Amino acid sequence: MSQTLTLRRPDDMHLHLRDGAMLEAVLPESARHFGRAIVMPNLVPPVVTGAEAAAYRARILAALPEGMAFEPLMTLYLTEATDPKDVAAAAASGLVRAVKLYPAGATTNSQSGVRDFDKVRGVLETMAEIGLPLCVHGEVTDPAVDIFDREAVFIDRVLDPVRRATPGLRVVMEHITTAEGVAYARSGGADLGATITTHHLVINRNHILVGGIKPHYYCLPVAKREIHRLALREAATSGEARFFLGTDSAPHADPLKENACGCAGCFTATNTLSILAHVFEEDGALDRLEAFTSLNGAAFYGLDPNPGRITLTKGAAVAYPAKIDTGAGPVTVFDPGVPLHWNVGG
Ligand code: DOR
Ligand code: ZN
């Protein structure tokens, strides 16, 4: 008899959908399995104002194929010029669900991000008052700090001081990659959550660098040592409400990754759920997969779980493309390095 697993339809609480031809190609890859996603605002130019978020939301919905249901949960890109009143109005209307903090220079299209945290104090105070979450890319950009230490240093130098200075601010530590990130997330109350990506549960830094450089395993924050991957696995499979899925699925056309200066990002939308079922089964935690993919994130954002369900069935190897074609070039699908056997049905 085949093994099946029925889950509430999942949510992806950290997703890059891009725009134009890339959006058209990648959106169905997420909408096939996910009911909603927190959509990242690091377009060029970034999505800074409520009006820009409304326009981007309309472009996403226009790109959604007939017959697919998917709700984009919009975010604003925090700049030093962000107007607290605009943020409050965009949140009050239900359009915007969070604000994303990129330290300037930390990652793809983060140039307009924050350099001086004093300049965003007013916005953060408004957000604390209205309960709007701040999604944080948690890496310092100080060139003196080793790239593998940037998350842990950010927690001490930036995140903890900002949280202490802004009581009540709800924070999501995005794509945590370290044992220190897991421990800090656990030190908080209901006002602190953390997303974990699919790929950081699967790869460590050896996967990127041993036997030749593997650009499709390069993302930011970069994968760390094996002990950190194991800490992330323990957190994700714990069922604890503070940990939830944010894939950080981040498409870049292959020529931009297979490049002397390759872009950061793993594209996991296509096979994320099959990979997660594999990971949770390996760790004896299939009964906690639904909490991670479909319940904890919704609860953090004050949403009901999706009404629909998906069924995963264990059987023949899952067939998925090595690349998807997009009008902006081919995009390589994340390779978990093992055959997957959990097929996702409707
Ligand atoms: O790997 C990443 N890719 N990390 C990020 O923070 C940004 C993302 C992207 O937009 O490509
Ligand atoms: Zn991201």
Side-chain angles (χ1 to χ4, degrees), residues 89 147 158 172 185 207-209 215 222 235-237 266 270 273 277 292 298 304 309 319 342 344:
I147 190 166
V158 182
V172 183
H207 292 86
I208 312 169
L209 296 170
V222 71
T237 58
C266 296
T270 304
L273 287 173
F292 183 66
D304 289 332
R309 287 178 168 74
W342 285 98
V344 189

mmCIF file with all atom_site columns, all heavy atoms in Angstrom, residues 89 147 158 172 185 207-209 215 222 235-237 266 270 273 277 292 298 304 309 319 342 344:
data_model
loop_
_atom_site.group_PDB
_atom_site.id
_atom_site.type_symbol
_atom_site.label_atom_id
_atom_site.label_alt_id
_atom_site.label_comp_id
_atom_site.label_asym_id
_atom_site.label_entity_id
_atom_site.label_seq_id
_atom_site.pdbx_PDB_ins_code
_atom_site.Cartn_x
_atom_site.Cartn_y
_atom_site.Cartn_z
_atom_site.occupancy
_atom_site.B_iso_or_equiv
_atom_site.pdbx_formal_charge
_atom_site.auth_seq_id
_atom_site.auth_comp_id
_atom_site.auth_asym_id
_atom_site.auth_atom_id
_atom_site.pdbx_PDB_model_num
ATOM 1   N N   . ALA A 1 89  ? -0.682 53.076 6.339   1.00 0.00 ? 89  ALA A N   1
ATOM 2   C CA  . ALA A 1 89  ? -1.865 53.045 5.464   1.00 0.00 ? 89  ALA A CA  1
ATOM 3   C C   . ALA A 1 89  ? -1.892 51.745 4.653   1.00 0.00 ? 89  ALA A C   1
ATOM 4   O O   . ALA A 1 89  ? -2.948 51.118 4.495   1.00 0.00 ? 89  ALA A O   1
ATOM 5   C CB  . ALA A 1 89  ? -1.858 54.259 4.529   1.00 0.00 ? 89  ALA A CB  1
ATOM 6   N N   . ILE A 1 147 ? 32.432 36.061 5.902   1.00 0.00 ? 147 ILE A N   1
ATOM 7   C CA  . ILE A 1 147 ? 31.074 35.814 5.385   1.00 0.00 ? 147 ILE A CA  1
ATOM 8   C C   . ILE A 1 147 ? 30.352 34.710 6.165   1.00 0.00 ? 147 ILE A C   1
ATOM 9   O O   . ILE A 1 147 ? 29.128 34.760 6.335   1.00 0.00 ? 147 ILE A O   1
ATOM 10  C CB  . ILE A 1 147 ? 31.097 35.526 3.864   1.00 0.00 ? 147 ILE A CB  1
ATOM 11  C CG1 . ILE A 1 147 ? 29.680 35.529 3.294   1.00 0.00 ? 147 ILE A CG1 1
ATOM 12  C CG2 . ILE A 1 147 ? 31.834 34.236 3.544   1.00 0.00 ? 147 ILE A CG2 1
ATOM 13  C CD1 . ILE A 1 147 ? 29.602 35.588 1.783   1.00 0.00 ? 147 ILE A CD1 1
ATOM 14  N N   . VAL A 1 158 ? 23.237 44.107 15.610  1.00 0.00 ? 158 VAL A N   1
ATOM 15  C CA  . VAL A 1 158 ? 22.087 44.835 15.050  1.00 0.00 ? 158 VAL A CA  1
ATOM 16  C C   . VAL A 1 158 ? 20.759 44.316 15.587  1.00 0.00 ? 158 VAL A C   1
ATOM 17  O O   . VAL A 1 158 ? 19.967 45.074 16.152  1.00 0.00 ? 158 VAL A O   1
ATOM 18  C CB  . VAL A 1 158 ? 22.082 44.765 13.502  1.00 0.00 ? 158 VAL A CB  1
ATOM 19  C CG1 . VAL A 1 158 ? 20.901 45.560 12.943  1.00 0.00 ? 158 VAL A CG1 1
ATOM 20  C CG2 . VAL A 1 158 ? 23.396 45.263 12.927  1.00 0.00 ? 158 VAL A CG2 1
ATOM 21  N N   . VAL A 1 172 ? 10.610 38.661 11.969  1.00 0.00 ? 172 VAL A N   1
ATOM 22  C CA  . VAL A 1 172 ? 10.913 37.346 11.396  1.00 0.00 ? 172 VAL A CA  1
ATOM 23  C C   . VAL A 1 172 ? 12.382 37.351 10.980  1.00 0.00 ? 172 VAL A C   1
ATOM 24  O O   . VAL A 1 172 ? 12.790 38.165 10.150  1.00 0.00 ? 172 VAL A O   1
ATOM 25  C CB  . VAL A 1 172 ? 10.054 37.026 10.149  1.00 0.00 ? 172 VAL A CB  1
ATOM 26  C CG1 . VAL A 1 172 ? 10.374 35.611 9.650   1.00 0.00 ? 172 VAL A CG1 1
ATOM 27  C CG2 . VAL A 1 172 ? 8.575  37.161 10.463  1.00 0.00 ? 172 VAL A CG2 1
ATOM 28  N N   . ALA A 1 185 ? 16.428 32.753 17.911  1.00 0.00 ? 185 ALA A N   1
ATOM 29  C CA  . ALA A 1 185 ? 14.979 32.672 17.648  1.00 0.00 ? 185 ALA A CA  1
ATOM 30  C C   . ALA A 1 185 ? 14.271 32.071 18.863  1.00 0.00 ? 185 ALA A C   1
ATOM 31  O O   . ALA A 1 185 ? 13.185 32.517 19.248  1.00 0.00 ? 185 ALA A O   1
ATOM 32  C CB  . ALA A 1 185 ? 14.709 31.835 16.399  1.00 0.00 ? 185 ALA A CB  1
ATOM 33  N N   . HIS A 1 207 ? 28.999 21.365 -0.042  1.00 0.00 ? 207 HIS A N   1
ATOM 34  C CA  . HIS A 1 207 ? 28.284 21.157 -1.306  1.00 0.00 ? 207 HIS A CA  1
ATOM 35  C C   . HIS A 1 207 ? 28.610 22.259 -2.321  1.00 0.00 ? 207 HIS A C   1
ATOM 36  O O   . HIS A 1 207 ? 28.553 22.034 -3.523  1.00 0.00 ? 207 HIS A O   1
ATOM 37  C CB  . HIS A 1 207 ? 26.767 21.111 -1.076  1.00 0.00 ? 207 HIS A CB  1
ATOM 38  C CG  . HIS A 1 207 ? 26.312 19.906 -0.322  1.00 0.00 ? 207 HIS A CG  1
ATOM 39  N ND1 . HIS A 1 207 ? 26.289 19.863 1.053   1.00 0.00 ? 207 HIS A ND1 1
ATOM 40  C CD2 . HIS A 1 207 ? 25.883 18.708 -0.744  1.00 0.00 ? 207 HIS A CD2 1
ATOM 41  C CE1 . HIS A 1 207 ? 25.850 18.673 1.438   1.00 0.00 ? 207 HIS A CE1 1
ATOM 42  N NE2 . HIS A 1 207 ? 25.597 17.951 0.366   1.00 0.00 ? 207 HIS A NE2 1
ATOM 43  N N   . ILE A 1 208 ? 28.924 23.435 -1.841  1.00 0.00 ? 208 ILE A N   1
ATOM 44  C CA  . ILE A 1 208 ? 29.219 24.550 -2.747  1.00 0.00 ? 208 ILE A CA  1
ATOM 45  C C   . ILE A 1 208 ? 30.646 24.455 -3.288  1.00 0.00 ? 208 ILE A C   1
ATOM 46  O O   . ILE A 1 208 ? 30.901 24.796 -4.440  1.00 0.00 ? 208 ILE A O   1
ATOM 47  C CB  . ILE A 1 208 ? 29.068 25.918 -2.021  1.00 0.00 ? 208 ILE A CB  1
ATOM 48  C CG1 . ILE A 1 208 ? 27.760 25.978 -1.238  1.00 0.00 ? 208 ILE A CG1 1
ATOM 49  C CG2 . ILE A 1 208 ? 29.173 27.076 -3.006  1.00 0.00 ? 208 ILE A CG2 1
ATOM 50  C CD1 . ILE A 1 208 ? 27.661 27.180 -0.295  1.00 0.00 ? 208 ILE A CD1 1
ATOM 51  N N   . LEU A 1 209 ? 31.550 23.948 -2.449  1.00 0.00 ? 209 LEU A N   1
ATOM 52  C CA  . LEU A 1 209 ? 32.974 24.149 -2.752  1.00 0.00 ? 209 LEU A CA  1
ATOM 53  C C   . LEU A 1 209 ? 33.801 22.901 -2.998  1.00 0.00 ? 209 LEU A C   1
ATOM 54  O O   . LEU A 1 209 ? 34.903 23.004 -3.539  1.00 0.00 ? 209 LEU A O   1
ATOM 55  C CB  . LEU A 1 209 ? 33.616 24.947 -1.593  1.00 0.00 ? 209 LEU A CB  1
ATOM 56  C CG  . LEU A 1 209 ? 33.062 26.366 -1.429  1.00 0.00 ? 209 LEU A CG  1
ATOM 57  C CD1 . LEU A 1 209 ? 33.543 26.994 -0.133  1.00 0.00 ? 209 LEU A CD1 1
ATOM 58  C CD2 . LEU A 1 209 ? 33.446 27.236 -2.611  1.00 0.00 ? 209 LEU A CD2 1
ATOM 59  N N   . PRO A 1 215 ? 27.788 26.789 -8.625  1.00 0.00 ? 215 PRO A N   1
ATOM 60  C CA  . PRO A 1 215 ? 27.069 28.063 -8.510  1.00 0.00 ? 215 PRO A CA  1
ATOM 61  C C   . PRO A 1 215 ? 25.597 27.918 -8.138  1.00 0.00 ? 215 PRO A C   1
ATOM 62  O O   . PRO A 1 215 ? 25.024 28.818 -7.536  1.00 0.00 ? 215 PRO A O   1
ATOM 63  C CB  . PRO A 1 215 ? 27.229 28.701 -9.894  1.00 0.00 ? 215 PRO A CB  1
ATOM 64  C CG  . PRO A 1 215 ? 27.643 27.603 -10.808 1.00 0.00 ? 215 PRO A CG  1
ATOM 65  C CD  . PRO A 1 215 ? 28.325 26.563 -9.973  1.00 0.00 ? 215 PRO A CD  1
ATOM 66  N N   . VAL A 1 222 ? 25.032 32.414 2.880   1.00 0.00 ? 222 VAL A N   1
ATOM 67  C CA  . VAL A 1 222 ? 25.674 31.233 2.323   1.00 0.00 ? 222 VAL A CA  1
ATOM 68  C C   . VAL A 1 222 ? 25.492 30.053 3.296   1.00 0.00 ? 222 VAL A C   1
ATOM 69  O O   . VAL A 1 222 ? 25.399 30.254 4.512   1.00 0.00 ? 222 VAL A O   1
ATOM 70  C CB  . VAL A 1 222 ? 27.166 31.563 2.063   1.00 0.00 ? 222 VAL A CB  1
ATOM 71  C CG1 . VAL A 1 222 ? 27.954 31.707 3.353   1.00 0.00 ? 222 VAL A CG1 1
ATOM 72  C CG2 . VAL A 1 222 ? 27.800 30.570 1.109   1.00 0.00 ? 222 VAL A CG2 1
ATOM 73  N N   . ALA A 1 235 ? 15.547 22.295 14.272  1.00 0.00 ? 235 ALA A N   1
ATOM 74  C CA  . ALA A 1 235 ? 14.557 23.364 14.496  1.00 0.00 ? 235 ALA A CA  1
ATOM 75  C C   . ALA A 1 235 ? 13.333 23.167 13.590  1.00 0.00 ? 235 ALA A C   1
ATOM 76  O O   . ALA A 1 235 ? 12.186 23.212 14.056  1.00 0.00 ? 235 ALA A O   1
ATOM 77  C CB  . ALA A 1 235 ? 15.200 24.725 14.225  1.00 0.00 ? 235 ALA A CB  1
ATOM 78  N N   . ALA A 1 236 ? 13.578 22.935 12.315  1.00 0.00 ? 236 ALA A N   1
ATOM 79  C CA  . ALA A 1 236 ? 12.466 22.826 11.356  1.00 0.00 ? 236 ALA A CA  1
ATOM 80  C C   . ALA A 1 236 ? 11.555 21.652 11.701  1.00 0.00 ? 236 ALA A C   1
ATOM 81  O O   . ALA A 1 236 ? 10.329 21.740 11.581  1.00 0.00 ? 236 ALA A O   1
ATOM 82  C CB  . ALA A 1 236 ? 13.004 22.673 9.936   1.00 0.00 ? 236 ALA A CB  1
ATOM 83  N N   . THR A 1 237 ? 12.167 20.558 12.130  1.00 0.00 ? 237 THR A N   1
ATOM 84  C CA  . THR A 1 237 ? 11.378 19.348 12.389  1.00 0.00 ? 237 THR A CA  1
ATOM 85  C C   . THR A 1 237 ? 10.835 19.307 13.821  1.00 0.00 ? 237 THR A C   1
ATOM 86  O O   . THR A 1 237 ? 10.155 18.350 14.184  1.00 0.00 ? 237 THR A O   1
ATOM 87  C CB  . THR A 1 237 ? 12.216 18.071 12.138  1.00 0.00 ? 237 THR A CB  1
ATOM 88  O OG1 . THR A 1 237 ? 13.372 18.098 12.981  1.00 0.00 ? 237 THR A OG1 1
ATOM 89  C CG2 . THR A 1 237 ? 12.656 17.967 10.684  1.00 0.00 ? 237 THR A CG2 1
ATOM 90  N N   . CYS A 1 266 ? 19.003 30.083 -4.808  1.00 0.00 ? 266 CYS A N   1
ATOM 91  C CA  . CYS A 1 266 ? 18.662 28.709 -5.201  1.00 0.00 ? 266 CYS A CA  1
ATOM 92  C C   . CYS A 1 266 ? 17.191 28.704 -5.589  1.00 0.00 ? 266 CYS A C   1
ATOM 93  O O   . CYS A 1 266 ? 16.357 29.250 -4.852  1.00 0.00 ? 266 CYS A O   1
ATOM 94  C CB  . CYS A 1 266 ? 18.877 27.741 -4.037  1.00 0.00 ? 266 CYS A CB  1
ATOM 95  S SG  . CYS A 1 266 ? 20.604 27.617 -3.530  1.00 0.00 ? 266 CYS A SG  1
ATOM 96  N N   . THR A 1 270 ? 9.987  24.489 -7.498  1.00 0.00 ? 270 THR A N   1
ATOM 97  C CA  . THR A 1 270 ? 9.463  23.345 -8.248  1.00 0.00 ? 270 THR A CA  1
ATOM 98  C C   . THR A 1 270 ? 9.399  22.069 -7.406  1.00 0.00 ? 270 THR A C   1
ATOM 99  O O   . THR A 1 270 ? 8.433  21.310 -7.501  1.00 0.00 ? 270 THR A O   1
ATOM 100 C CB  . THR A 1 270 ? 10.358 23.117 -9.490  1.00 0.00 ? 270 THR A CB  1
ATOM 101 O OG1 . THR A 1 270 ? 10.375 24.338 -10.232 1.00 0.00 ? 270 THR A OG1 1
ATOM 102 C CG2 . THR A 1 270 ? 9.851  21.981 -10.352 1.00 0.00 ? 270 THR A CG2 1
ATOM 103 N N   . LEU A 1 273 ? 8.377  20.798 -1.912  1.00 0.00 ? 273 LEU A N   1
ATOM 104 C CA  . LEU A 1 273 ? 7.579  19.949 -1.015  1.00 0.00 ? 273 LEU A CA  1
ATOM 105 C C   . LEU A 1 273 ? 8.055  18.507 -1.040  1.00 0.00 ? 273 LEU A C   1
ATOM 106 O O   . LEU A 1 273 ? 8.060  17.831 0.001   1.00 0.00 ? 273 LEU A O   1
ATOM 107 C CB  . LEU A 1 273 ? 6.095  20.063 -1.341  1.00 0.00 ? 273 LEU A CB  1
ATOM 108 C CG  . LEU A 1 273 ? 5.524  21.415 -0.891  1.00 0.00 ? 273 LEU A CG  1
ATOM 109 C CD1 . LEU A 1 273 ? 4.100  21.580 -1.368  1.00 0.00 ? 273 LEU A CD1 1
ATOM 110 C CD2 . LEU A 1 273 ? 5.601  21.586 0.620   1.00 0.00 ? 273 LEU A CD2 1
ATOM 111 N N   . ALA A 1 277 ? 9.385  16.671 2.374   1.00 0.00 ? 277 ALA A N   1
ATOM 112 C CA  . ALA A 1 277 ? 8.842  15.393 2.857   1.00 0.00 ? 277 ALA A CA  1
ATOM 113 C C   . ALA A 1 277 ? 9.974  14.391 3.046   1.00 0.00 ? 277 ALA A C   1
ATOM 114 O O   . ALA A 1 277 ? 10.015 13.650 4.040   1.00 0.00 ? 277 ALA A O   1
ATOM 115 C CB  . ALA A 1 277 ? 7.788  14.868 1.891   1.00 0.00 ? 277 ALA A CB  1
ATOM 116 N N   . PHE A 1 292 ? 5.252  22.970 9.939   1.00 0.00 ? 292 PHE A N   1
ATOM 117 C CA  . PHE A 1 292 ? 6.314  23.766 9.326   1.00 0.00 ? 292 PHE A CA  1
ATOM 118 C C   . PHE A 1 292 ? 5.853  24.434 8.036   1.00 0.00 ? 292 PHE A C   1
ATOM 119 O O   . PHE A 1 292 ? 6.167  25.594 7.767   1.00 0.00 ? 292 PHE A O   1
ATOM 120 C CB  . PHE A 1 292 ? 7.523  22.858 9.061   1.00 0.00 ? 292 PHE A CB  1
ATOM 121 C CG  . PHE A 1 292 ? 8.722  23.576 8.503   1.00 0.00 ? 292 PHE A CG  1
ATOM 122 C CD1 . PHE A 1 292 ? 9.399  24.522 9.267   1.00 0.00 ? 292 PHE A CD1 1
ATOM 123 C CD2 . PHE A 1 292 ? 9.185  23.302 7.225   1.00 0.00 ? 292 PHE A CD2 1
ATOM 124 C CE1 . PHE A 1 292 ? 10.518 25.181 8.757   1.00 0.00 ? 292 PHE A CE1 1
ATOM 125 C CE2 . PHE A 1 292 ? 10.301 23.963 6.713   1.00 0.00 ? 292 PHE A CE2 1
ATOM 126 C CZ  . PHE A 1 292 ? 10.973 24.900 7.474   1.00 0.00 ? 292 PHE A CZ  1
ATOM 127 N N   . ALA A 1 298 ? 1.386  30.800 8.973   1.00 0.00 ? 298 ALA A N   1
ATOM 128 C CA  . ALA A 1 298 ? 0.073  31.461 8.929   1.00 0.00 ? 298 ALA A CA  1
ATOM 129 C C   . ALA A 1 298 ? -0.249 32.045 10.302  1.00 0.00 ? 298 ALA A C   1
ATOM 130 O O   . ALA A 1 298 ? -0.664 33.206 10.420  1.00 0.00 ? 298 ALA A O   1
ATOM 131 C CB  . ALA A 1 298 ? -0.998 30.467 8.494   1.00 0.00 ? 298 ALA A CB  1
ATOM 132 N N   . ASP A 1 304 ? -5.610 32.515 9.027   1.00 0.00 ? 304 ASP A N   1
ATOM 133 C CA  . ASP A 1 304 ? -6.085 31.142 9.167   1.00 0.00 ? 304 ASP A CA  1
ATOM 134 C C   . ASP A 1 304 ? -5.278 30.261 8.220   1.00 0.00 ? 304 ASP A C   1
ATOM 135 O O   . ASP A 1 304 ? -4.836 30.723 7.170   1.00 0.00 ? 304 ASP A O   1
ATOM 136 C CB  . ASP A 1 304 ? -7.565 31.049 8.779   1.00 0.00 ? 304 ASP A CB  1
ATOM 137 C CG  . ASP A 1 304 ? -8.454 31.722 9.818   1.00 0.00 ? 304 ASP A CG  1
ATOM 138 O OD1 . ASP A 1 304 ? -8.050 31.772 10.997  1.00 0.00 ? 304 ASP A OD1 1
ATOM 139 O OD2 . ASP A 1 304 ? -9.528 32.222 9.423   1.00 0.00 ? 304 ASP A OD2 1
ATOM 140 N N   . ARG A 1 309 ? -6.314 21.425 0.770   1.00 0.00 ? 309 ARG A N   1
ATOM 141 C CA  . ARG A 1 309 ? -5.322 20.448 1.212   1.00 0.00 ? 309 ARG A CA  1
ATOM 142 C C   . ARG A 1 309 ? -4.528 19.938 0.014   1.00 0.00 ? 309 ARG A C   1
ATOM 143 O O   . ARG A 1 309 ? -5.017 19.980 -1.118  1.00 0.00 ? 309 ARG A O   1
ATOM 144 C CB  . ARG A 1 309 ? -6.011 19.292 1.932   1.00 0.00 ? 309 ARG A CB  1
ATOM 145 C CG  . ARG A 1 309 ? -6.507 19.703 3.306   1.00 0.00 ? 309 ARG A CG  1
ATOM 146 C CD  . ARG A 1 309 ? -7.249 18.613 4.042   1.00 0.00 ? 309 ARG A CD  1
ATOM 147 N NE  . ARG A 1 309 ? -7.443 18.955 5.448   1.00 0.00 ? 309 ARG A NE  1
ATOM 148 C CZ  . ARG A 1 309 ? -8.308 19.848 5.924   1.00 0.00 ? 309 ARG A CZ  1
ATOM 149 N NH1 . ARG A 1 309 ? -9.100 20.520 5.095   1.00 0.00 ? 309 ARG A NH1 1
ATOM 150 N NH2 . ARG A 1 309 ? -8.399 20.101 7.218   1.00 0.00 ? 309 ARG A NH2 1
ATOM 151 N N   . ALA A 1 319 ? 9.281  13.004 -10.886 1.00 0.00 ? 319 ALA A N   1
ATOM 152 C CA  . ALA A 1 319 ? 9.823  13.571 -12.129 1.00 0.00 ? 319 ALA A CA  1
ATOM 153 C C   . ALA A 1 319 ? 9.700  15.085 -12.065 1.00 0.00 ? 319 ALA A C   1
ATOM 154 O O   . ALA A 1 319 ? 8.606  15.617 -11.885 1.00 0.00 ? 319 ALA A O   1
ATOM 155 C CB  . ALA A 1 319 ? 9.039  13.028 -13.316 1.00 0.00 ? 319 ALA A CB  1
ATOM 156 N N   . TRP A 1 342 ? 8.455  11.488 -2.799  1.00 0.00 ? 342 TRP A N   1
ATOM 157 C CA  . TRP A 1 342 ? 7.149  12.018 -2.351  1.00 0.00 ? 342 TRP A CA  1
ATOM 158 C C   . TRP A 1 342 ? 6.573  12.885 -3.458  1.00 0.00 ? 342 TRP A C   1
ATOM 159 O O   . TRP A 1 342 ? 7.026  13.984 -3.698  1.00 0.00 ? 342 TRP A O   1
ATOM 160 C CB  . TRP A 1 342 ? 7.307  12.819 -1.057  1.00 0.00 ? 342 TRP A CB  1
ATOM 161 C CG  . TRP A 1 342 ? 7.510  11.952 0.153   1.00 0.00 ? 342 TRP A CG  1
ATOM 162 C CD1 . TRP A 1 342 ? 8.695  11.633 0.745   1.00 0.00 ? 342 TRP A CD1 1
ATOM 163 C CD2 . TRP A 1 342 ? 6.480  11.293 0.908   1.00 0.00 ? 342 TRP A CD2 1
ATOM 164 N NE1 . TRP A 1 342 ? 8.475  10.818 1.834   1.00 0.00 ? 342 TRP A NE1 1
ATOM 165 C CE2 . TRP A 1 342 ? 7.141  10.590 1.958   1.00 0.00 ? 342 TRP A CE2 1
ATOM 166 C CE3 . TRP A 1 342 ? 5.088  11.222 0.805   1.00 0.00 ? 342 TRP A CE3 1
ATOM 167 C CZ2 . TRP A 1 342 ? 6.422  9.835  2.896   1.00 0.00 ? 342 TRP A CZ2 1
ATOM 168 C CZ3 . TRP A 1 342 ? 4.386  10.477 1.735   1.00 0.00 ? 342 TRP A CZ3 1
ATOM 169 C CH2 . TRP A 1 342 ? 5.049  9.793  2.769   1.00 0.00 ? 342 TRP A CH2 1
ATOM 170 N N   . VAL A 1 344 ? 3.655  15.102 -5.168  1.00 0.00 ? 344 VAL A N   1
ATOM 171 C CA  . VAL A 1 344 ? 2.609  16.001 -4.677  1.00 0.00 ? 344 VAL A CA  1
ATOM 172 C C   . VAL A 1 344 ? 1.416  15.939 -5.601  1.00 0.00 ? 344 VAL A C   1
ATOM 173 O O   . VAL A 1 344 ? 1.538  16.168 -6.807  1.00 0.00 ? 344 VAL A O   1
ATOM 174 C CB  . VAL A 1 344 ? 3.114  17.473 -4.615  1.00 0.00 ? 344 VAL A CB  1
ATOM 175 C CG1 . VAL A 1 344 ? 2.077  18.334 -3.903  1.00 0.00 ? 344 VAL A CG1 1
ATOM 176 C CG2 . VAL A 1 344 ? 4.467  17.561 -3.952  1.00 0.00 ? 344 VAL A CG2 1
#
